[in-house]
Amino acid sequence: MSSPHATFPPAAATLSELPRHIAVVMDGNGRWARRRALPRIAGHRRGVEAIKNIMPLLRTRGVQYLTLFAFSSENWQRPSSEVTLLLELFASTLENEIRRLHENQIRLRVIGDLSRFPHALQNRVAESMALTRANQALNLTIAINYGGRWDLTQACRALAELVERREISADAISASLLASRLCTSDLPEPDLFIRTGGEQRISNFLLWQLAYTELYFTDTYWPDFDEQHFEQALMRFASRQRRFGKTAEQIQAAPIQAEAAAPAPA
Ligand code: FPP
């Protein structure tokens, strides 16, 4: 494996070899803290710093969408003290950073089942999304109380209601109609999925949306994931051949752009 300190872009890289949308499972915060004899929340706090540190590089590398898994539907099973601190960290980060996000023309989306959160936080999220709605420099999506199965279930329920009300027939249900009911319906599908922290699994993140996404796993704990590690992930992405079900020969004869293969945002 090449060093994380190699330079990017490689000589042959073209824009089509750069991911437009990156989805990240930020794993390893707890182990990062434990190694330093710190409480787990210290690892999550450093995780927020790691997000802030890579933001400028995302923009220089032309990444337009970053989607982060901050709290899964299953994370409620953690000790309640950690759950409380994690949600407080999310709320305080939102409060402290929203102005800077807006100044930097970043559009914030929060996806997931927010109904379980205090109304004040739900309102703050709604205001933040409304404030940044027209921003176009980068699309930052935070998944919180999110699960891929939850997302698919709520999309299916919405379609079933349409059928029940006879607004559509069951035959009208297609992959694109289902995708239009997912809470990522206005995002392109991720080109690159990064998971830090050494585990090699998707953990109920964007189950539908990751169908053709390139997967990248690294042992680096999320708080240590810096610009050089990020560039390493981009290099690995650039070295992959995306085939979307076609053969290598077909791709060589007529390269496909990810945008052409993946459904466009609504
Ligand atoms: C996984 O590490 C990480 C999480 C469950 C939470 C990640 C959340 C943040 C970085 C803060 C999010 C806040 C904002 C505003 C985006 P882990 O705890 O499972 O680590 P371990 O596997 O080493 O125990």
Side-chain angles (χ1 to χ4, degrees):
M1 198 164 112
S2 53
S3 140
H5 303 294
T7 54
F8 185 86
T14 65
L15 266 186
S16 66
E17 292 167 329
L18 291 166
R20 181 165 60 140
H21 182 178
I22 302 181
V24 186
V25 172
M26 307 176 286
D27 199 10
N29 296 345
R31 280 164 287 162
W32 181 94
R34 197 165 59 225
R35 279 206 173 169
R36 290 159 179 80
L38 295 169
R40 292 177 58 82
I41 191 64
H44 297 313
R45 288 200 189 102
R46 281 297 288 260
V48 173
E49 294 309 308
I51 299 171
K52 291 199 271 188
N53 291 342
I54 63 161
M55 294 297 269
L57 188 64
L58 286 167
R59 293 178 63 174
T60 52
R61 292 292 180 242
V63 175
Q64 295 167 37
Y65 298 86
L66 176 69
T67 300
L68 302 172
F69 206 4
F71 190 88
S72 75
S73 321
E74 290 73 33
N75 284 153
W76 294 105
Q77 297 168 50
R78 292 189 172 207
S80 64
S81 54
E82 181 172 349
V83 170
T84 304
L85 289 170
L86 258 175
L87 297 182
E88 280 173 12
L89 179 62
F90 171 71
S92 64
T93 306
L94 186 64
E95 203 63 41
N96 297 337
E97 299 298 330
I98 190 62
R99 191 181 311 167
R100 198 176 346 185
L101 289 180
H102 191 39
E103 280 166 7
N104 283 287
Q105 286 294 301
I106 295 171
R107 177 171 181 180
L108 177 74
R109 291 177 179 82
V110 178
I111 58 170
D113 182 3
L114 294 182
S115 64
R116 200 165 161 181
F117 295 120
H119 285 294
L121 182 57
Q122 291 184 38
N123 292 341
R124 199 72 193 99
V125 164
E127 284 163 17
S128 303
M129 296 206 313
L131 174 72
T132 61
R133 178 169 232 99
N135 293 345
Q136 291 187 355
L138 179 72
N139 292 271
L140 172 64
T141 302
I142 309 285
I144 188 154
N145 196 17
Y146 175 86
R149 290 179 177 176
W150 165 82
D151 199 6
L152 282 161
T153 306
Q154 65 81 25
C156 289
R157 195 176 296 130
L159 293 181
E161 280 169 12
L162 291 180
V163 173
E164 209 170 61
R165 293 202 303 263
R166 299 182 184 274
E167 290 179 32
I168 60 168
S169 68
D171 283 353
I173 297 177
S174 60
S176 63
L177 190 64
L178 197 147
S180 75
R181 293 293 168 151
L182 296 172
C183 62
T184 51
S185 62
D186 62 344
L187 304 176
E189 291 179 357
D191 303 298
L192 173 63
F193 165 92
I194 297 174
R195 181 176 186 138
T196 59
E199 311 294 350
Q200 303 204 354
R201 52 178 173 255
I202 291 173
S203 294
N204 197 19
F205 198 20
L206 305 158
L207 294 180
W208 172 281
Q209 300 85 337
L210 292 174
Y212 283 100
T213 301
E214 297 297 323
L215 307 181
Y216 177 82
F217 299 100
T218 170
D219 289 340
T220 304
Y221 295 150
W222 175 252
D224 291 328
F225 193 84
D226 60 14
E227 292 193 346
Q228 283 161 340
H229 292 98
F230 180 66
E231 291 201 337
Q232 172 71 8
L234 291 183
M235 281 214 299
R236 290 285 290 280
F237 177 81
S239 72
R240 307 257 178 98
Q241 185 188 53
R242 304 189 74 191
R243 292 202 286 274
F244 298 97
K246 295 189 173 181
T247 66
E249 292 73 25
Q250 284 176 302
I251 300 299
Q252 266 150 18
I256 23 174
Q257 304 289 319
E259 301 90 81

